[in-house]
Amino acid sequence: MKLINREQIAAMNIHYLYYSLEYFLDTQAALGVKTIELWPGAPHFFLDSMTYSDCREIRHKIESRGLTAKIITPENCTYQYQFAAPVPEIFRKSFQYFTNGIKAGAELGCKIMAINSGWGYWNEDREEAWKRSVDMLTRLAEEAKKEGICLAMESLRPQESQLVTTLGNTKRMFDEINHSHLKVMIDTTAMGVAGETLEEWFDVFGEDIIHMHFIDGNPYGHLIWGDGNHDLGSWLKILDRRGYKGYLGQEITDFNYFEKPDLHDKRNMAAYKPFIR
C-alpha cells in the first residue's frame, strides 16, 4: 500500500559524524532521498553563539545534488547549549546560539527548526526550570517569526529532561507559550518510552503536528526500521488516515550505525520502499 510521498522522508546526517557532508549528501541522492533534515554540527556545519558556516556554500552542496533542506536541528544534547540553561550566561549564549540556528535555517531554505524543552538541574525546583524554558521558547518563537521559520517542539525521555517528557507536558508547554510559530513534533522514541501512541498525539494536537522524528525502537534507541519492535506499515497507515503530510525525520543516533552509515541507510530506505508513492 502506497502511503507516503518520497519527499516526506527526511534524511539526517548525525550518524555520518565520521564522514564528510559530501559523502552523506551523495549517499542520500543515490538512495533516491529528496529531503534533508540538517544537523548543523561540526564537522559538517559550524554553529555557535557568535557565528555559523557559509549557508550559500552548504545550500549549493545540497541543492546541486537534487536535494532540499527543509528542517534544521541544532545540536542541543551533547553541546553546551540548551533551552532551559540554569546559568544566566549560558542561557544568554544559548538564546543566541538557537537564534543563529533560526537564521541559518532561513538562509538554507528551511521552514522548520526542531527543538525541545531543555532541562534544569535535577536538584532544583522543576517549576523554576519550566519558567526558563517557557521564556526561552517564547523569545525564540518571536525570532522564528521574523525569519519565516516555525519551531517544532518534541518531547524527551525522562533520562534527558524533567520538563517535557510526556504528551501532557507537551500540551502544557504548548498552551502556555501559545505562539503561532511554535508547533509540535512527535519523537517516536520518546513517545514509545512514555507508553503513548500516535493516535493519542493526533487526538490532542491534530494539525499542529508539523514534523516527526520517525524511527524504530525497543522503545529505546533511535533505530533503523526493522531493528526495533515498531510496525512501520501500521504506523504509516495511521499517518495516512490522519492526513499527516509533514516530514519523517530519520534521526538515527545509535552508535552502532556510525560505522558504514550508508549501508544502514540503504536498509532503512528498503523498509520504506513498499509504502512510497
Side-chain angles (χ1 to χ4, degrees):
M1 182 181 292
K2 307 302 182 181
L3 298 169
I4 56 172
N5 296 322
R6 183 175 296 275
E7 288 75 13
Q8 288 181 264
I9 301 171
M12 284 187 72
N13 54 309
I14 192 166
H15 57 306
Y16 284 75
L17 176 65
Y18 300 115
Y19 294 77
S20 66
L21 177 62
E22 292 81 359
Y23 187 89
F24 162 73
L25 295 173
D26 287 341
T27 297
Q28 303 315 311
L31 290 174
V33 170
K34 298 296 182 184
T35 304
I36 299 299
E37 177 173 347
L38 184 70
W39 171 72
H44 297 170
F45 189 105
F46 185 83
L47 172 69
D48 68 8
S49 61
M50 299 182 68
T51 187
Y52 52 88
S53 293
D54 184 344
C55 291
R56 291 172 298 179
E57 178 184 351
I58 301 297
R59 186 168 181 173
H60 175 72
K61 288 180 179 181
I62 294 171
E63 294 181 354
S64 65
R65 291 167 169 83
L67 306 167
T68 307
K70 295 293 188 180
I71 311 101
I72 187 168
T73 304
E75 178 58 56
N76 54 72
C77 293
T78 59
Y79 287 4
Q80 63 266 41
Y81 307 107
Q82 63 110 341
F83 299 98
V87 179
E89 180 185 6
I90 298 175
F91 186 92
R92 290 193 298 270
K93 290 181 177 179
S94 292
F95 172 73
Q96 192 55 55
Y97 168 76
F98 291 116
T99 297
N100 281 346
I102 291 168
K103 292 178 179 178
E107 291 180 28
L108 290 166
C110 299
K111 295 300 180 184
I112 295 171
M113 186 169 95
I115 64 166
N116 57 57
S117 65
W119 65 93
Y121 289 135
W122 286 21
N123 61 331
E124 71 170 327
D125 182 351
R126 175 177 179 268
E127 291 303 308
E128 292 304 310
W130 185 277
K131 291 175 187 176
R132 293 194 303 270
S133 181
V134 170
D135 180 23
M136 174 71 80
L137 298 187
T138 300
R139 293 169 62 191
L140 288 174
E142 276 298 304
E143 296 300 319
K145 182 178 180 179
K146 295 175 187 176
E147 300 293 340
I149 292 276
C150 201
L151 305 180
M153 181 181 66
E154 67 178 349
S155 59
L156 296 171
R157 295 167 295 170
Q159 293 83 1
E160 298 172 307
S161 175
Q162 82 281 50
L163 300 180
V164 175
T165 59
T166 67
L167 176 55
N169 299 155
T170 308
K171 185 68 165 70
R172 178 189 169 191
M173 183 70 75
F174 179 77
D175 288 346
E176 287 189 19
I177 295 172
N178 189 27
H179 195 288
S180 61
H181 283 255
L182 177 80
K183 298 296 182 181
V184 174
M185 64 179 287
I186 297 173
D187 182 290
T188 54
T189 297
M191 180 191 79
V193 169
E196 299 160 352
T197 68
L198 289 171
E199 296 279 19
E200 290 171 335
W201 275 77
F202 277 99
D203 285 345
V204 173
F205 289 112
E207 293 182 357
D208 285 319
I209 299 170
I210 63 169
H211 185 45
M212 295 188 186
H213 281 162
F214 192 80
I215 58 273
D216 208 347
N218 289 314
Y220 282 90
H222 286 63
L223 306 180
I224 293 291
W225 282 103
D227 288 355
N229 296 330
H230 301 314
D231 188 328
L232 176 59
S234 295
W235 280 13
L236 291 178
K237 287 177 183 177
I238 293 172
L239 301 190
D240 182 64
R241 185 169 66 251
R242 292 290 189 151
Y244 179 74
K245 302 300 181 185
Y247 300 107
L248 306 173
Q250 302 306 289
E251 188 188 38
I252 308 301
T253 61
D254 191 295
F255 279 102
N256 289 324
Y257 302 126
F258 280 48
E259 184 179 0
K260 299 181 179 179
D262 52 332
L263 299 183
H264 299 297
D265 280 357
K266 185 176 181 180
R267 290 196 297 117
N268 202 45
M269 286 302 291
Y272 274 110
K273 187 175 179 180
F275 307 106
I276 299 174
R277 295 186 181 96

